[in-house]
Amino acid sequence: MKYNSVFDIIGPVMIGPSSSHTAGAARIGKAARNLFGKEPKWARIHLYESFAKTYKGHGTDFALIGGLLGYETDDLRMSKSLDAAKEKNIDFEFIEDSAKMSHPNTARLIIGDEKDQLELVGISIGGGKVEITELNGFELRLSGNHPALLIMHNDRFGAIASVTKILAKYEINIGHMEVNRKDVGKEALMVIEVDQNVEDTVLKELENADHIIRISKIVS
């Protein structure tokens, strides 16, 4: 695992006892909220291995919910997030799942409201760092350390080029990019980590590009 600075080793400024179980969990929750694009009305959260065994004592439960509420890791409201969610009538449930996972600090968040639903798998890899490894059935690798675009598109010739052409036009540098599809000619997912936040005007132009279905962004 690579660290960028001594602050990554120490861990982030946070509320809670553990950078892996608290800060990382909060960032997984916030990533899910950002990708959903709004505050969910309900959440079903599957916890695996170490997360499942220690989530109450290490604050993983309130951290995940705090992230879904949009709290940063150092938000003083974090430890009271379960109460805050109940006050907002958000229905949430934690499920201790016995399935074996490749990483001990893994959570599967299924969130939604009366119209939409999102499913995300995230792992907390230490020092408050996270990786998103699955989104709505698509496998991916998203660090959450950089601004990112998640672009659902039709698996057609020219779809990727239409996106990269617009990013080049606005001098937006791509740090990491991957494309995943469930089947040939069906829906596909582009994951693009960039070096700076993408303005809404650029997003609007991307949404109108060839073969694009919808776009979500994560702000660093």
Side-chain angles (χ1 to χ4, degrees), residues 2-159:
K2 295 177 68 176
Y3 293 100
N4 294 323
S5 73
V6 67
F7 297 106
D8 293 329
I9 300 172
I10 296 170
V13 178
M14 65 178 188
I15 303 298
S18 169
S19 60
S20 293
H21 287 238
T22 313
R27 286 177 170 167
I28 292 171
K30 191 170 184 190
R33 177 195 172 101
N34 287 345
L35 292 171
F36 191 55
K38 52 189 169 181
E39 192 167 272
K41 298 296 185 184
W42 56 266
R44 302 290 174 265
I45 302 175
H46 292 251
L47 301 169
Y48 302 90
E49 308 217 13
S50 179
F51 265 7
K53 295 175 183 176
T54 64
Y55 72 96
K56 291 182 179 179
H58 284 187
T60 306
D61 50 356
F62 67 68
L64 285 164
I65 297 299
L68 289 176
L69 292 175
Y71 298 170
E72 299 292 344
T73 57
D74 60 349
D75 195 308
L76 295 177
R77 299 171 294 173
M78 184 68 75
S79 62
K80 302 296 183 182
S81 65
L82 300 180
D83 293 333
K86 290 175 182 176
E87 290 174 2
K88 291 187 171 189
N89 293 317
I90 297 174
D91 180 27
F92 59 87
E93 177 185 8
F94 294 98
I95 300 161
E96 298 174 22
D97 202 310
S98 60
K100 295 297 182 182
M101 305 299 285
S102 60
H103 194 284
N105 298 334
T106 300
R108 180 182 300 273
L109 282 65
I110 307 170
I111 63 175
D113 58 16
E114 55 279 350
K115 292 184 178 180
D116 302 304
Q117 179 174 314
L118 176 142
E119 183 171 348
L120 174 148
V121 176
I123 61 175
S124 178
I125 61 176
K129 291 179 173 291
V130 303
E131 288 183 359
I132 307 305
T133 60
E134 185 179 320
L135 177 65
N136 291 338
F138 288 95
E139 293 183 0
L140 68 154
R141 187 187 67 186
L142 182 64
S143 71
N145 296 322
H146 304 281
L149 300 174
L150 283 81
I151 303 174
M152 193 70 66
H153 61 97
N154 292 314
D155 183 30
R156 299 286 189 276
F157 174 82

Side-chain angles (χ1 to χ4, degrees), residues 181-192:
R181 64 186 182 185
K182 294 181 179 178
D183 202 357
V184 177
K186 304 296 183 181
E187 284 189 354
L189 178 67
M190 249 184 278
V191 180
I192 305 174

